[in-house]
Amino acid sequence: VSDLDGRLSGALKGRPAALVEWAASAWRKSPTLADQHLAGRTLAELHLAGQDYTARRDNPVGPSHWRALAERSATRAEGSDREMLDEIERLMPDLARLFDPSFLPQGAIHADYFPDNVLFDGDRIGGVIDFYYGCNGALVYDLAIALSAWGFDAEGRADPEAIKAFHQGYESVRPLTAMEASLLPQM
């Protein structure tokens, strides 16, 4: 909500503050296939809408931060956790190459497009929230994060039909390039 001078943010008791209107919507714990499709479409629309956004932010949990995270984890990793960390560290250089911006479409990404961050208002999306991890990166990486989050039912079981509906919704708005499609499973 703008203040009397038209500003969207200001200060309250010396801290940054903004007023926002309450969105009359909620996330769905058990989204239908139609919800999945709509959520996929909406992510693609966000990607297209952000194409002319010029601000830049590095992914706070992306490849440039992996080494530090691995080092912090190594202090406590034992047994099978240590084995998994060793394997991740072995794969890191190859995985980091997937994020090379020279061959994948890039843009502003949500990077946390989980079901609890997509609010439904009836049969439409009422809002998308929690842009805390929002950054610049490969658009297909954002799709991969979303598919990993949306592709499971409320009990945590993989749901191939949900993955298909979300993916089809996304590509109904923004078809993947051949390179993106080939790298989606690795992302």
Side-chain angles (χ1 to χ4, degrees):
V1 176
S2 299
D3 67 13
L4 296 176
D5 296 321
R7 293 177 299 211
L8 294 175
S9 64
L12 179 64
K13 294 190 177 189
R15 297 184 59 146
L19 293 177
V20 296
E21 293 184 37
W22 183 260
S25 47
W27 74 283
R28 299 216 167 122
K29 291 183 181 179
S30 298
T32 65
L33 293 178
D35 295 338
Q36 296 275 1
H37 191 275
L38 178 57
R41 265 192 14 232
T42 301
L43 179 61
E45 290 167 354
L46 283 171
H47 287 166
L48 294 178
Q51 287 299 292
D52 59 353
Y53 185 66
T54 59
R56 303 279 316 151
R57 180 175 185 240
D58 186 37
N59 184 341
V61 292
S64 64
H65 301 277
W66 291 350
R67 173 62 39 216
L69 179 60
E71 288 171 5
R72 284 194 311 275
S73 299
T75 62
R76 293 186 297 260
E78 298 175 356
S80 62
D81 291 339
R82 180 73 237 184
E83 291 173 23
M84 183 170 53
L85 181 58
D86 290 344
E87 181 67 8
I88 290 169
E89 286 181 314
R90 187 184 70 72
L91 294 171
M92 266 195 255
D94 289 332
L95 293 173
R97 284 190 206 57
L98 295 176
F99 292 85
D100 179 348
S102 65
F103 67 95
L104 290 173
Q106 304 284 306
I109 64 172
H110 188 280
D112 192 25
Y113 196 80
F114 282 39
D116 61 334
N117 291 329
V118 179
L119 308 178
F120 286 83
D121 184 9
D123 61 354
R124 67 180 193 85
I125 302 288
V128 176
I129 62 170
D130 195 2
F131 285 82
Y132 178 81
Y133 287 105
C135 59
N136 297 89
L139 302 179
V140 70
Y141 173 65
D142 208 19
L143 174 59
I145 291 170
L147 288 171
S148 295
W150 287 81
F152 296 85
D153 67 17
E155 282 75 44
R157 294 181 299 252
D159 185 347
E161 291 302 310
I163 292 170
K164 181 179 176 183
F166 191 102
H167 192 173
Q168 287 177 336
Y170 185 91
E171 289 211 61
S172 73
V173 172
R174 185 189 164 271
L176 298 179
T177 67
M179 181 66 75
E180 286 176 307
S182 71
L183 291 175
L184 180 59
Q186 290 141 319
M187 288 286 181

